[in-house]
Amino acid sequence: MANERLRDALMNVGHSTSTAADHVGVDAKTVERWLTQDRVPYPRHRGALALLVGRSESYLWPDALPAQRQSKAAASEIVETFPHRSDVPSQLWDSLLQRSSSRIDVLVHAGQFLHERPNFISTLKAKAEVGACVRIAFGTPESEATERRSSEENLGQGVLGARIRYGLVSYRPLLGTQGIEFRFHDTTLYNSIFRFDDEMIVNMHIYGVPGPHAPAMHVRKLAAGDVFETYERSFLDVWEQSEPAAW
């Protein structure tokens, strides 16, 4: 049985069987067998391939890792949990933003607290100007999903949509900056996601509880784990079905 996950992951990062073989240190025919015969590589090769394609070992080879190791890897990815998003230290937000160099992804409804942070907007611009990819998805202000969330948080009709529109003003200096893209999404937002390279803050949403009062966790990507990757895929799924933000 072919390993389509591995094949697709290699294609997405532009690697052939030959280049992947060179990177891992094996013969190209060995990589071909991993692809076409679903052969499971040795642990050292699994780790190198997972790092190469940016996917977890448990995603590429679901049956290769014992359940106990998968569980331990998942636990190890969770750096810290916070009872409320407002409890996430300011120093952590600043550190994650400053250390990021290649990717910053944000999935929110309004996310007002971000642009209210000193230098957040100017730092995004500076990061993009040196090659970082910045993607921010806001809730569509007039959508049913946004209005429902506004009601569930007891904010009142149209309040959350107005907050989104208000917040967009702060991002205007970034319009036209290469590497920065804004979109609107109409999805039910189960989690707000704030990704900084291989680390992220995930803010869980609870019915009737405002985002700042809901729990959050700091997650760091590990090759053998799949917690980070689960939220990464969730962001991508929303991003792919969202539309360019209408300013």
Side-chain angles (χ1 to χ4, degrees), residues 210-226:
H213 301 161
M217 61 181 178
H218 176 198
V219 181
R220 182 177 293 126
K221 185 175 183 178
L222 294 177
D226 61 4

Side-chain angles (χ1 to χ4, degrees), residues 74-128:
S76 297
E77 284 189 287
I78 300 174
V79 180
E80 190 173 1
T81 58
F82 304 92
H84 315 105
R85 191 198 70 209
S86 57
D87 294 326
V88 178
S90 295
Q91 299 92 321
L92 178 57
W93 288 109
D94 293 340
S95 176
L96 291 173
L97 179 61
Q98 291 297 334
R99 293 202 309 266
S100 60
S101 60
S102 60
R103 182 167 299 285
I104 299 170
D105 291 333
V106 176
L107 173 62
V108 290
H109 271 127
Q112 276 184 285
F113 77 100
L114 287 175
H115 64 76
E116 292 172 349
R117 297 191 59 75
N119 304 318
F120 178 73
I121 300 297
S122 60
T123 301
L124 286 184
K125 187 176 181 67
K127 294 287 183 180

